[in-house]
Amino acid sequence: KGAKEGSVESMYEYGKMLFLGECVKKNEKEAYGYFFISKSKGHKKSEDFLNVYQLMKKIKEFDRLNDNTKYFFITKTIKSNDD
């Protein structure tokens, strides 16, 4: 509900759900859309996620990983960049 009402944090969280297929049908393209809208409204976590995701997509083997593993690598990379 919050994502549809424009909450950037809700858009980010819903994007994660779509990316991982948690409680909703997995849809990476739609997840990307929510991350992008949230980023365009100034949401730092969405910006970080998209930046790291784009870097990881350049690695051929990244697409072979399951979604939970992809998410793990993305979030760990973001965390290590923040430290």
Side-chain angles (χ1 to χ4, degrees):
K1 182 179 177 182
K4 293 185 192 275
E5 293 176 357
S7 164
V8 292
E9 181 65 25
S10 294
M11 286 182 201
Y12 173 76
E13 292 298 327
Y14 188 58
K16 283 191 330 188
M17 291 172 66
L18 288 164
F19 185 82
L20 296 169
E22 292 181 346
C23 302
V24 295
K25 185 177 179 185
K26 180 188 164 353
N27 187 328
E28 199 169 307
K29 185 177 179 179
E30 189 176 354
Y32 186 87
Y34 276 97
F35 290 133
F36 185 81
I37 293 167
S38 181
K39 172 192 165 198
S40 70
K41 294 183 176 196
H43 194 260
K44 176 83 168 104
K45 287 192 275 185
S46 291
E47 179 180 356
D48 291 344
F49 187 94
L50 288 172
N51 288 340
V52 173
Y53 179 73
Q54 290 300 327
L55 287 172
M56 295 287 194
K57 289 286 282 181
K58 292 178 183 178
I59 302 168
K60 183 170 56 173
E61 291 79 18
F62 184 72
D63 280 335
R64 294 185 192 157
L65 301 173
N66 71 48
D67 296 324
N68 287 323
T69 304
K70 288 179 186 177
Y71 183 75
F72 172 82
F73 280 116
I74 292 168
T75 56
K76 291 301 177 188
T77 302
I78 291 169
K79 182 169 174 28
S80 70
N81 287 342
D82 287 343
D83 291 343

